[in-house]
Amino acid sequence: QTTVEPTSAERAEKLQGMGCKRKRVEDIRFTQGKGNYVDDVKLPGMLFGDFVRSSHAHARIKSIDTSKAKALPGVFAVLTAADLKPLNLHYMPTLAGDVQAVLADEKVLFQNQEVAFVVAKDRYVAADAIELVEVDYEPLPVLVDPFKAMEPDAPLLREDIKDKMTGAHGARKHHNHIFRWEIGDKEGTDATFAKAEVVSKDMFTYHRVHPSPLETCQCVASMDKIKGELTLWGTFQAPHVIRTVVSLISGLPEHKIHVIAPDIGGGFGNKVGAYSGYVCAVVASIVLGVPVKWVEDRMENLSTTSFARDYHMTTELAATKDGKILAMRCHVLADHGAFDACADPSKWPAGFMNICTGSYDMPVAHLAVDGVYTNKASGGVAYRCSFRVTEAVYAIERAIETLAQRLEMDSADLRIKNFIQPEQFPYMAPLGWEYDSGNYPLAMKKAMDTVGYHQLRAEQKAKQEAFKRGETREIMGIGISFFTEIVGAGPSKNCDILGVSMFDSAEIRIHPTGSVIARMGTKSQGQGHETTYAQIIATELGIPADDIMIEEGNTDTAPYGLGTYGSRSTPTAGAATAVAARKIKAKAQMIAAHMLEVHEGDLEWDVDRFRVKGLPEKFKTMKELAWASYNSPPPNLEPGLEAVNYYDPPNMTYPFGAYFCIMDIDVDTGVAKTRRFYALDDCGTRINPMIIEGQVHGGLTEAFAVAMGQEIRYDEQGNVLGASFMDFFLPTAVETPKWETDYTVTPSPHHPIGAKGVGESPHVGGVPCFSNAVNDAYAFLNAGHIQMPHDAWRLWKVGEQLGLHV
Ligand code: PCD
């Protein structure tokens, strides 16, 4: 009996490498409640810290009396700005080049701002002590409306920088002005507009929302005074950046700081920045010499750490009568709240808003952004979008719709007419980005054919007639969005954080028996990196994915990286992983050549082994080569098999997609039902199709949330109205529509495995798609642009304004 050698294809399948719907290995612990989150960290003698927060949005602090709180048994310390001042820690630097009060210094600038930090034996005593801290406030006039921020008599918010008329991004025009950022060809754009046949202009507001991950922001700081070492566990999307920041602001040497991000219960951009809670926990631990834990509650999370959006975008398109777009002009008024704590790469005060020309070929464009201070929480994070890309895509995808209406043209046709064509890639967009690859017409056609676009339009027309005749109270909307994302920040030539270039890294070690440990500078918050990075290595090195352990989040062991956000892990650390694996493979080839007594060039790679060309029975498997590397390396070659790569990507990656939403709205109740949602994504080479599908489902669900209900609102006194899940819409399985996913594959030409990011795409494409569906439904009633969020109450109001209600 002869045993049949498995074929190459059979061996490849066993590896569970790229392209395989490998089950998520991390889910074994997550689904059994065995994850290890920050709140699971329990250390001997650990104390608990909590904040006294401002009840006012803008007020002077006349006095803070901590004596009653300090007298409460179980209270160890109450810190105020006065305690931090001598340490120069009452302000901390923000990623946007501003400073932010760690504890309010003489005045408060938004409701729920941190005023004092109570450290007690447990969270219950801390909660009681908070009530005992007496703060005497003198209310000041409140500024909520960003459009009023730069009026001559607008209240002065930032007294700490009132004489500083130049900020991190140039001149400030007013005491509430943060920056003006301009990009593009202003003169050329203005000239084109001046002679354009059609100018279509609208103001689109992208309301204030919050990433609201299920696990809030939290940390445990533990200072070992004997060793002079600080260990900081925290919900950090970018652990190494946190280590550097802590070192810079505390003066502790960076090698004596151990930052550990254990399992994270969702990030969505919320866990990129540095917050007062981290600083206060660290200071308290240094002062008291025991570990201190800080855990936000839901209200604190929603109302103080990192909001997203709050962009007011005046968007204009210049076009010919037959729908050729000639130019885009956009002005954004950006409400950044009380401190400019936007999490963007340093040079980009408005993130990558300059991707706002979208998927369309136009010769010129101009973008200007003014950032202003208001009495609201600071932040401005990329809640599931790569630095303001969701805003940019919302602007262009709404603008395309309103232009189509003005031209009385079908909006799908208008898109197709203006698409950047496949042969134009790499395509230099008018606001400076070079799109790497794309095939937009193909994706659009596939999507339109699948949903039966033209039949849908016919059905909609019939429904509109029926509505006008009074036969139905239901209207139908067809939402389209065609988006181009920009992910993978990024090339060091244009992206850094606090001066550190935005590369990322991977370190791979092969053990003697052929199993592997690999570490990256990124940090999964649920994305499934333990599963997918192993798949890249499996395919590159011919080692089964199950034999590869992926570790992230410990700054002592992982190579330096800039973390996970902006869908950058695949474009950066994913690339580093492939490159590091290829270094190992090159060394393995030298070992194989030595063992098989041939030249390296006489070998060929076959899934998991090197074979001698023309002598297929002579080969060495990766497993054998691993052993040999420790046991009998060729002379002059150092033993072992490991490699590190720090990958500075040559360009971003530009995933894209075509989304369609079919919606039915009852005009009398304002209830909108999503009948069908179809999402076609192109993220280049697909590492794990099942994970991609999960990413798309998650991103679409958050898009549904944002478009259809989520909002952090403020009243005129600056009271925050959306700070609990009673008011802030977090959809459950009950409300969430069914998602239909599809794909095309246009590899990235510069990425080692051709992959682009995907995690944020569905959110970026999803929000305008929902909003376009709603707007499309009401368009035949001449509703004009309807602002998000489109919850039932607001849509009911639209019906009222249009006089539809009987
Ligand atoms: N992938 C594949 N393929 C491709 C791509 C990708 O497979 N081509 C996959 C990977 O591997 C992973 C994922 O998928 O796993 C994703 O990826 P990406 O795209 O690269 O990304 P990443 O970096 O990793 O991540 C990030 C993202 C973000 S950004 C967000 S928001 C969100 C997302 O992610 N988040 C989250 N998703 C998620 N999921 C979960 N679960 N959780 C969470 O938290 Mo930002 O900026 O932060 O805002």
Side-chain angles (χ1 to χ4, degrees), residues 237 266-269 382 384 525-527 529 532 564-570 683 685 687-688 692 695 756-760:
Q237 291 184 232
F268 312 113
R384 211 159 191 159
Q525 309 124 44
Q527 291 86 346
H529 291 176
T532 52
T564 291
Y565 42 84
S567 296
R568 66 186 298 281
S569 304
T570 304
C683 57
T685 306
I687 302 162
N688 184 326
I692 293 174
Q695 287 292 308
K756 303 182 178 186
V758 77
E760 296 166 320

PDB file of all heavy atoms in Angstrom, residues 237 266-269 382 384 525-527 529 532 564-570 683 685 687-688 692 695 756-760, ligand 1:
ATOM      1  N   GLN A 237      -5.943  51.972  22.453  1.00  0.00           N
ATOM      2  CA  GLN A 237      -5.835  51.562  21.055  1.00  0.00           C
ATOM      3  C   GLN A 237      -4.408  51.731  20.553  1.00  0.00           C
ATOM      4  O   GLN A 237      -4.023  51.143  19.552  1.00  0.00           O
ATOM      5  CB  GLN A 237      -6.796  52.379  20.176  1.00  0.00           C
ATOM      6  CG  GLN A 237      -8.261  52.065  20.437  1.00  0.00           C
ATOM      7  CD  GLN A 237      -9.219  52.791  19.511  1.00  0.00           C
ATOM      8  OE1 GLN A 237     -10.152  53.423  19.982  1.00  0.00           O
ATOM      9  NE2 GLN A 237      -9.023  52.708  18.200  1.00  0.00           N
ATOM     10  N   GLY A 266     -14.080  46.839  22.473  1.00  0.00           N
ATOM     11  CA  GLY A 266     -14.474  47.830  21.471  1.00  0.00           C
ATOM     12  C   GLY A 266     -13.735  49.139  21.688  1.00  0.00           C
ATOM     13  O   GLY A 266     -13.503  49.568  22.823  1.00  0.00           O
ATOM     14  N   GLY A 267     -13.329  49.750  20.605  1.00  0.00           N
ATOM     15  CA  GLY A 267     -12.614  51.024  20.699  1.00  0.00           C
ATOM     16  C   GLY A 267     -13.306  52.091  19.878  1.00  0.00           C
ATOM     17  O   GLY A 267     -13.754  53.093  20.387  1.00  0.00           O
ATOM     18  N   PHE A 268     -13.371  51.842  18.567  1.00  0.00           N
ATOM     19  CA  PHE A 268     -14.067  52.737  17.623  1.00  0.00           C
ATOM     20  C   PHE A 268     -13.544  54.160  17.658  1.00  0.00           C
ATOM     21  O   PHE A 268     -14.276  55.100  17.375  1.00  0.00           O
ATOM     22  CB  PHE A 268     -15.582  52.693  17.867  1.00  0.00           C
ATOM     23  CG  PHE A 268     -16.125  51.299  17.979  1.00  0.00           C
ATOM     24  CD1 PHE A 268     -16.631  50.812  19.175  1.00  0.00           C
ATOM     25  CD2 PHE A 268     -16.087  50.453  16.880  1.00  0.00           C
ATOM     26  CE1 PHE A 268     -17.105  49.504  19.275  1.00  0.00           C
ATOM     27  CE2 PHE A 268     -16.562  49.136  16.972  1.00  0.00           C
ATOM     28  CZ  PHE A 268     -17.074  48.670  18.179  1.00  0.00           C
ATOM     29  N   GLY A 269     -12.296  54.335  18.058  1.00  0.00           N
ATOM     30  CA  GLY A 269     -11.704  55.670  18.101  1.00  0.00           C
ATOM     31  C   GLY A 269     -11.737  56.297  19.484  1.00  0.00           C
ATOM     32  O   GLY A 269     -10.968  57.203  19.784  1.00  0.00           O
ATOM     33  N   ALA A 382     -11.893  59.845  15.320  1.00  0.00           N
ATOM     34  CA  ALA A 382     -12.340  59.137  14.130  1.00  0.00           C
ATOM     35  C   ALA A 382     -13.222  57.974  14.566  1.00  0.00           C
ATOM     36  O   ALA A 382     -12.779  56.845  14.624  1.00  0.00           O
ATOM     37  CB  ALA A 382     -11.131  58.638  13.358  1.00  0.00           C
ATOM     38  N   ARG A 384     -15.044  55.298  13.932  1.00  0.00           N
ATOM     39  CA  ARG A 384     -15.133  54.383  12.786  1.00  0.00           C
ATOM     40  C   ARG A 384     -14.991  55.081  11.438  1.00  0.00           C
ATOM     41  O   ARG A 384     -15.775  54.877  10.513  1.00  0.00           O
ATOM     42  CB  ARG A 384     -16.408  53.554  12.831  1.00  0.00           C
ATOM     43  CG  ARG A 384     -16.119  52.196  12.190  1.00  0.00           C
ATOM     44  CD  ARG A 384     -17.050  51.126  12.579  1.00  0.00           C
ATOM     45  NE  ARG A 384     -16.502  49.858  12.098  1.00  0.00           N
ATOM     46  CZ  ARG A 384     -16.823  48.678  12.585  1.00  0.00           C
ATOM     47  NH1 ARG A 384     -17.688  48.579  13.565  1.00  0.00           N
ATOM     48  NH2 ARG A 384     -16.283  47.595  12.106  1.00  0.00           N
ATOM     49  N   GLN A 525      -9.099  45.493  19.219  1.00  0.00           N
ATOM     50  CA  GLN A 525     -10.131  45.816  20.212  1.00  0.00           C
ATOM     51  C   GLN A 525     -11.359  44.964  19.954  1.00  0.00           C
ATOM     52  O   GLN A 525     -12.453  45.257  20.419  1.00  0.00           O
ATOM     53  CB  GLN A 525     -10.523  47.292  20.088  1.00  0.00           C
ATOM     54  CG  GLN A 525      -9.348  48.245  20.087  1.00  0.00           C
ATOM     55  CD  GLN A 525      -9.327  49.132  18.849  1.00  0.00           C
ATOM     56  OE1 GLN A 525     -10.354  49.657  18.446  1.00  0.00           O
ATOM     57  NE2 GLN A 525      -8.158  49.324  18.263  1.00  0.00           N
ATOM     58  N   GLY A 526     -11.177  43.918  19.152  1.00  0.00           N
ATOM     59  CA  GLY A 526     -12.286  43.067  18.753  1.00  0.00           C
ATOM     60  C   GLY A 526     -12.220  42.700  17.274  1.00  0.00           C
ATOM     61  O   GLY A 526     -12.993  41.883  16.796  1.00  0.00           O
ATOM     62  N   GLN A 527     -11.268  43.307  16.571  1.00  0.00           N
ATOM     63  CA  GLN A 527     -11.173  43.109  15.116  1.00  0.00           C
ATOM     64  C   GLN A 527     -10.762  41.691  14.729  1.00  0.00           C
ATOM     65  O   GLN A 527     -11.003  41.273  13.604  1.00  0.00           O
ATOM     66  CB  GLN A 527     -10.155  44.092  14.514  1.00  0.00           C
ATOM     67  CG  GLN A 527     -10.577  45.539  14.520  1.00  0.00           C
ATOM     68  CD  GLN A 527     -10.249  46.250  15.823  1.00  0.00           C
ATOM     69  OE1 GLN A 527      -9.930  45.623  16.824  1.00  0.00           O
ATOM     70  NE2 GLN A 527     -10.347  47.555  15.824  1.00  0.00           N
ATOM     71  N   HIS A 529      -7.378  40.344  15.299  1.00  0.00           N
ATOM     72  CA  HIS A 529      -5.989  40.285  14.836  1.00  0.00           C
ATOM     73  C   HIS A 529      -5.301  38.961  15.146  1.00  0.00           C
ATOM     74  O   HIS A 529      -4.435  38.527  14.395  1.00  0.00           O
ATOM     75  CB  HIS A 529      -5.167  41.421  15.463  1.00  0.00           C
ATOM     76  CG  HIS A 529      -5.534  42.782  14.959  1.00  0.00           C
ATOM     77  ND1 HIS A 529      -4.974  43.928  15.461  1.00  0.00           N
ATOM     78  CD2 HIS A 529      -6.401  43.192  13.998  1.00  0.00           C
ATOM     79  CE1 HIS A 529      -5.477  44.980  14.828  1.00  0.00           C
ATOM     80  NE2 HIS A 529      -6.353  44.564  13.954  1.00  0.00           N
ATOM     81  N   THR A 532      -6.186  36.868  12.140  1.00  0.00           N
ATOM     82  CA  THR A 532      -5.829  37.236  10.768  1.00  0.00           C
ATOM     83  C   THR A 532      -4.336  37.430  10.531  1.00  0.00           C
ATOM     84  O   THR A 532      -3.829  37.050   9.481  1.00  0.00           O
ATOM     85  CB  THR A 532      -6.578  38.514  10.351  1.00  0.00           C
ATOM     86  OG1 THR A 532      -6.361  39.526  11.339  1.00  0.00           O
ATOM     87  CG2 THR A 532      -8.063  38.246  10.216  1.00  0.00           C
ATOM     88  N   THR A 564      -3.875  50.817  16.702  1.00  0.00           N
ATOM     89  CA  THR A 564      -4.971  50.427  15.806  1.00  0.00           C
ATOM     90  C   THR A 564      -6.099  51.441  15.816  1.00  0.00           C
ATOM     91  O   THR A 564      -6.786  51.624  16.826  1.00  0.00           O
ATOM     92  CB  THR A 564      -5.488  49.027  16.207  1.00  0.00           C
ATOM     93  OG1 THR A 564      -4.475  48.076  15.901  1.00  0.00           O
ATOM     94  CG2 THR A 564      -6.752  48.662  15.439  1.00  0.00           C
ATOM     95  N   TYR A 565      -6.276  52.110  14.722  1.00  0.00           N
ATOM     96  CA  TYR A 565      -7.364  53.055  14.438  1.00  0.00           C
ATOM     97  C   TYR A 565      -7.160  53.412  12.984  1.00  0.00           C
ATOM     98  O   TYR A 565      -6.140  53.054  12.378  1.00  0.00           O
ATOM     99  CB  TYR A 565      -7.275  54.323  15.324  1.00  0.00           C
ATOM    100  CG  TYR A 565      -5.861  54.813  15.447  1.00  0.00           C
ATOM    101  CD1 TYR A 565      -5.323  55.643  14.463  1.00  0.00           C
ATOM    102  CD2 TYR A 565      -5.032  54.351  16.456  1.00  0.00           C
ATOM    103  CE1 TYR A 565      -3.993  56.013  14.506  1.00  0.00           C
ATOM    104  CE2 TYR A 565      -3.698  54.715  16.500  1.00  0.00           C
ATOM    105  CZ  TYR A 565      -3.188  55.549  15.521  1.00  0.00           C
ATOM    106  OH  TYR A 565      -1.871  55.899  15.536  1.00  0.00           O
ATOM    107  N   GLY A 566      -8.119  54.122  12.417  1.00  0.00           N
ATOM    108  CA  GLY A 566      -7.961  54.534  11.015  1.00  0.00           C
ATOM    109  C   GLY A 566      -7.766  53.341  10.080  1.00  0.00           C
ATOM    110  O   GLY A 566      -7.105  53.487   9.056  1.00  0.00           O
ATOM    111  N   SER A 567      -8.312  52.191  10.435  1.00  0.00           N
ATOM    112  CA  SER A 567      -8.148  50.963   9.626  1.00  0.00           C
ATOM    113  C   SER A 567      -6.718  50.817   9.134  1.00  0.00           C
ATOM    114  O   SER A 567      -6.461  50.493   7.980  1.00  0.00           O
ATOM    115  CB  SER A 567      -9.097  50.955   8.415  1.00  0.00           C
ATOM    116  OG  SER A 567     -10.424  50.919   8.836  1.00  0.00           O
ATOM    117  N   ARG A 568      -5.780  51.062  10.058  1.00  0.00           N
ATOM    118  CA  ARG A 568      -4.391  51.090   9.632  1.00  0.00           C
ATOM    119  C   ARG A 568      -3.653  49.782   9.873  1.00  0.00           C
ATOM    120  O   ARG A 568      -2.557  49.577   9.358  1.00  0.00           O
ATOM    121  CB  ARG A 568      -3.648  52.257  10.312  1.00  0.00           C
ATOM    122  CG  ARG A 568      -3.493  52.127  11.833  1.00  0.00           C
ATOM    123  CD  ARG A 568      -2.872  53.382  12.440  1.00  0.00           C
ATOM    124  NE  ARG A 568      -1.540  53.669  11.956  1.00  0.00           N
ATOM    125  CZ  ARG A 568      -0.427  53.056  12.388  1.00  0.00           C
ATOM    126  NH1 ARG A 568      -0.491  52.121  13.322  1.00  0.00           N
ATOM    127  NH2 ARG A 568       0.748  53.388  11.896  1.00  0.00           N
ATOM    128  N   SER A 569      -4.232  48.872  10.660  1.00  0.00           N
ATOM    129  CA  SER A 569      -3.467  47.681  11.030  1.00  0.00           C
ATOM    130  C   SER A 569      -3.077  46.841   9.826  1.00  0.00           C
ATOM    131  O   SER A 569      -1.920  46.428   9.696  1.00  0.00           O
ATOM    132  CB  SER A 569      -4.258  46.837  12.031  1.00  0.00           C
ATOM    133  OG  SER A 569      -4.596  47.622  13.146  1.00  0.00           O
ATOM    134  N   THR A 570      -4.032  46.593   8.935  1.00  0.00           N
ATOM    135  CA  THR A 570      -3.713  45.795   7.754  1.00  0.00           C
ATOM    136  C   THR A 570      -2.741  46.528   6.832  1.00  0.00           C
ATOM    137  O   THR A 570      -1.714  45.965   6.442  1.00  0.00           O
ATOM    138  CB  THR A 570      -5.009  45.401   7.011  1.00  0.00           C
ATOM    139  OG1 THR A 570      -5.853  44.711   7.942  1.00  0.00           O
ATOM    140  CG2 THR A 570      -4.728  44.529   5.811  1.00  0.00           C
ATOM    141  N   CYS A 683     -11.744  45.806  -0.664  1.00  0.00           N
ATOM    142  CA  CYS A 683     -10.612  46.120   0.216  1.00  0.00           C
ATOM    143  C   CYS A 683      -9.365  45.413  -0.281  1.00  0.00           C
ATOM    144  O   CYS A 683      -8.504  44.995   0.477  1.00  0.00           O
ATOM    145  CB  CYS A 683     -10.922  45.757   1.666  1.00  0.00           C
ATOM    146  SG  CYS A 683     -11.384  44.042   1.936  1.00  0.00           S
ATOM    147  N   THR A 685      -6.937  42.543  -1.610  1.00  0.00           N
ATOM    148  CA  THR A 685      -6.807  41.144  -1.209  1.00  0.00           C
ATOM    149  C   THR A 685      -7.502  40.928   0.122  1.00  0.00           C
ATOM    150  O   THR A 685      -7.305  41.692   1.069  1.00  0.00           O
ATOM    151  CB  THR A 685      -5.311  40.792  -1.072  1.00  0.00           C
ATOM    152  OG1 THR A 685      -4.665  41.130  -2.288  1.00  0.00           O
ATOM    153  CG2 THR A 685      -5.106  39.317  -0.761  1.00  0.00           C
ATOM    154  N   ILE A 687      -8.034  38.939   3.488  1.00  0.00           N
ATOM    155  CA  ILE A 687      -7.319  37.992   4.349  1.00  0.00           C
ATOM    156  C   ILE A 687      -8.283  36.962   4.909  1.00  0.00           C
ATOM    157  O   ILE A 687      -8.083  35.766   4.779  1.00  0.00           O
ATOM    158  CB  ILE A 687      -6.576  38.722   5.492  1.00  0.00           C
ATOM    159  CG1 ILE A 687      -5.598  39.748   4.916  1.00  0.00           C
ATOM    160  CG2 ILE A 687      -5.836  37.710   6.383  1.00  0.00           C
ATOM    161  CD1 ILE A 687      -5.146  40.801   5.897  1.00  0.00           C
ATOM    162  N   ASN A 688      -9.361  37.415   5.530  1.00  0.00           N
ATOM    163  CA  ASN A 688     -10.343  36.498   6.106  1.00  0.00           C
ATOM    164  C   ASN A 688     -11.760  36.983   5.765  1.00  0.00           C
ATOM    165  O   ASN A 688     -12.287  37.895   6.407  1.00  0.00           O
ATOM    166  CB  ASN A 688     -10.144  36.414   7.625  1.00  0.00           C
ATOM    167  CG  ASN A 688     -11.077  35.396   8.263  1.00  0.00           C
ATOM    168  OD1 ASN A 688     -12.219  35.200   7.815  1.00  0.00           O
ATOM    169  ND2 ASN A 688     -10.608  34.747   9.311  1.00  0.00           N
ATOM    170  N   ILE A 692     -14.084  39.901   7.508  1.00  0.00           N
ATOM    171  CA  ILE A 692     -14.489  41.080   6.736  1.00  0.00           C
ATOM    172  C   ILE A 692     -16.008  41.242   6.811  1.00  0.00           C
ATOM    173  O   ILE A 692     -16.515  42.339   7.039  1.00  0.00           O
ATOM    174  CB  ILE A 692     -14.012  40.961   5.269  1.00  0.00           C
ATOM    175  CG1 ILE A 692     -12.488  41.032   5.214  1.00  0.00           C
ATOM    176  CG2 ILE A 692     -14.654  42.047   4.396  1.00  0.00           C
ATOM    177  CD1 ILE A 692     -11.885  40.782   3.860  1.00  0.00           C
ATOM    178  N   GLN A 695     -16.844  42.647  10.082  1.00  0.00           N
ATOM    179  CA  GLN A 695     -16.480  44.065  10.128  1.00  0.00           C
ATOM    180  C   GLN A 695     -17.537  44.906   9.415  1.00  0.00           C
ATOM    181  O   GLN A 695     -17.922  45.975   9.882  1.00  0.00           O
ATOM    182  CB  GLN A 695     -15.109  44.285   9.468  1.00  0.00           C
ATOM    183  CG  GLN A 695     -13.935  43.778  10.286  1.00  0.00           C
ATOM    184  CD  GLN A 695     -13.747  44.591  11.558  1.00  0.00           C
ATOM    185  OE1 GLN A 695     -13.674  45.802  11.529  1.00  0.00           O
ATOM    186  NE2 GLN A 695     -13.691  43.909  12.682  1.00  0.00           N
ATOM    187  N   LYS A 756      -6.060  46.181   1.491  1.00  0.00           N
ATOM    188  CA  LYS A 756      -6.401  47.518   1.987  1.00  0.00           C
ATOM    189  C   LYS A 756      -7.183  47.321   3.288  1.00  0.00           C
ATOM    190  O   LYS A 756      -7.674  46.230   3.556  1.00  0.00           O
ATOM    191  CB  LYS A 756      -7.283  48.239   0.970  1.00  0.00           C
ATOM    192  CG  LYS A 756      -6.667  48.359  -0.430  1.00  0.00           C
ATOM    193  CD  LYS A 756      -7.593  49.131  -1.371  1.00  0.00           C
ATOM    194  CE  LYS A 756      -6.960  49.284  -2.746  1.00  0.00           C
ATOM    195  NZ  LYS A 756      -7.765  50.150  -3.640  1.00  0.00           N
ATOM    196  N   GLY A 757      -7.308  48.363   4.062  1.00  0.00           N
ATOM    197  CA  GLY A 757      -8.103  48.263   5.284  1.00  0.00           C
ATOM    198  C   GLY A 757      -9.581  48.141   4.960  1.00  0.00           C
ATOM    199  O   GLY A 757     -10.020  48.462   3.853  1.00  0.00           O
ATOM    200  N   VAL A 758     -10.357  47.682   5.932  1.00  0.00           N
ATOM    201  CA  VAL A 758     -11.796  47.537   5.673  1.00  0.00           C
ATOM    202  C   VAL A 758     -12.670  47.924   6.874  1.00  0.00           C
ATOM    203  O   VAL A 758     -13.846  48.201   6.729  1.00  0.00           O
ATOM    204  CB  VAL A 758     -12.130  46.091   5.220  1.00  0.00           C
ATOM    205  CG1 VAL A 758     -12.143  45.120   6.396  1.00  0.00           C
ATOM    206  CG2 VAL A 758     -13.464  46.040   4.483  1.00  0.00           C
ATOM    207  N   GLY A 759     -12.076  47.950   8.073  1.00  0.00           N
ATOM    208  CA  GLY A 759     -12.879  48.092   9.291  1.00  0.00           C
ATOM    209  C   GLY A 759     -13.804  49.297   9.307  1.00  0.00           C
ATOM    210  O   GLY A 759     -14.914  49.233   9.840  1.00  0.00           O
ATOM    211  N   GLU A 760     -13.373  50.390   8.716  1.00  0.00           N
ATOM    212  CA  GLU A 760     -14.180  51.606   8.796  1.00  0.00           C
ATOM    213  C   GLU A 760     -15.051  51.830   7.574  1.00  0.00           C
ATOM    214  O   GLU A 760     -16.034  52.577   7.637  1.00  0.00           O
ATOM    215  CB  GLU A 760     -13.246  52.800   8.968  1.00  0.00           C
ATOM    216  CG  GLU A 760     -12.496  52.721  10.270  1.00  0.00           C
ATOM    217  CD  GLU A 760     -11.339  53.686  10.327  1.00  0.00           C
ATOM    218  OE1 GLU A 760     -10.646  53.838   9.308  1.00  0.00           O
ATOM    219  OE2 GLU A 760     -11.128  54.283  11.376  1.00  0.00           O
TER     220      GLU A 760
HETATM  221  N1  PCD B   1      -9.093  42.370   7.152  1.00  0.00           N
HETATM  222  C1  PCD B   1      -9.063  41.326   6.230  1.00  0.00           C
HETATM  223  N2  PCD B   1      -8.767  41.597   4.908  1.00  0.00           N
HETATM  224  C2  PCD B   1      -8.529  42.867   4.523  1.00  0.00           C
HETATM  225  C3  PCD B   1      -8.594  43.927   5.453  1.00  0.00           C
HETATM  226  C4  PCD B   1      -8.860  43.642   6.765  1.00  0.00           C
HETATM  227  O1  PCD B   1      -9.315  40.170   6.581  1.00  0.00           O
HETATM  228  N3  PCD B   1      -8.255  43.156   3.243  1.00  0.00           N
HETATM  229  C5  PCD B   1      -9.386  42.084   8.574  1.00  0.00           C
HETATM  230  C6  PCD B   1      -8.149  42.387   9.409  1.00  0.00           C
HETATM  231  O2  PCD B   1      -7.294  41.395   9.515  1.00  0.00           O
HETATM  232  C7  PCD B   1      -8.770  42.811  10.756  1.00  0.00           C
HETATM  233  C8  PCD B   1     -10.075  43.429  10.326  1.00  0.00           C
HETATM  234  O3  PCD B   1     -10.397  42.911   9.035  1.00  0.00           O
HETATM  235  O4  PCD B   1      -9.023  41.674  11.497  1.00  0.00           O
HETATM  236  C9  PCD B   1      -9.977  44.995  10.310  1.00  0.00           C
HETATM  237  O5  PCD B   1      -8.817  45.347   9.629  1.00  0.00           O
HETATM  238  P1  PCD B   1      -8.434  46.827   9.260  1.00  0.00           P
HETATM  239  O6  PCD B   1      -9.394  47.391   8.285  1.00  0.00           O
HETATM  240  O7  PCD B   1      -7.004  46.854   8.903  1.00  0.00           O
HETATM  241  O8  PCD B   1      -8.672  47.663  10.580  1.00  0.00           O
HETATM  242  P2  PCD B   1      -7.894  47.606  11.984  1.00  0.00           P
HETATM  243  O9  PCD B   1      -6.821  48.632  11.985  1.00  0.00           O
HETATM  244  O10 PCD B   1      -7.558  46.218  12.304  1.00  0.00           O
HETATM  245  O11 PCD B   1      -9.029  48.002  12.954  1.00  0.00           O
HETATM  246  C10 PCD B   1      -9.388  49.362  13.152  1.00  0.00           C
HETATM  247  C11 PCD B   1     -10.858  49.529  12.775  1.00  0.00           C
HETATM  248  C12 PCD B   1     -11.351  50.843  13.311  1.00  0.00           C
HETATM  249  S1  PCD B   1     -10.468  52.196  13.021  1.00  0.00           S
HETATM  250  C13 PCD B   1     -12.540  50.920  13.965  1.00  0.00           C
HETATM  251  S2  PCD B   1     -13.083  52.410  14.490  1.00  0.00           S
HETATM  252  C14 PCD B   1     -13.417  49.741  14.243  1.00  0.00           C
HETATM  253  C15 PCD B   1     -13.043  48.613  13.239  1.00  0.00           C
HETATM  254  O12 PCD B   1     -11.632  48.470  13.324  1.00  0.00           O
HETATM  255  N4  PCD B   1     -13.231  49.335  15.596  1.00  0.00           N
HETATM  256  C16 PCD B   1     -13.637  48.038  15.930  1.00  0.00           C
HETATM  257  N5  PCD B   1     -13.668  47.412  13.592  1.00  0.00           N
HETATM  258  C17 PCD B   1     -13.865  47.068  14.920  1.00  0.00           C
HETATM  259  N6  PCD B   1     -14.284  45.857  15.230  1.00  0.00           N
HETATM  260  C18 PCD B   1     -14.461  45.527  16.511  1.00  0.00           C
HETATM  261  N7  PCD B   1     -14.914  44.278  16.805  1.00  0.00           N
HETATM  262  N8  PCD B   1     -14.241  46.408  17.519  1.00  0.00           N
HETATM  263  C19 PCD B   1     -13.806  47.641  17.260  1.00  0.00           C
HETATM  264  O13 PCD B   1     -13.560  48.486  18.263  1.00  0.00           O
HETATM  265 MO1  PCD B   1     -11.265  53.900  14.466  1.00  0.00          MO
HETATM  266  O14 PCD B   1     -10.132  55.147  13.792  1.00  0.00           O
HETATM  267  O15 PCD B   1     -10.584  53.572  15.962  1.00  0.00           O
HETATM  268  O16 PCD B   1     -12.486  55.174  14.789  1.00  0.00           O
END
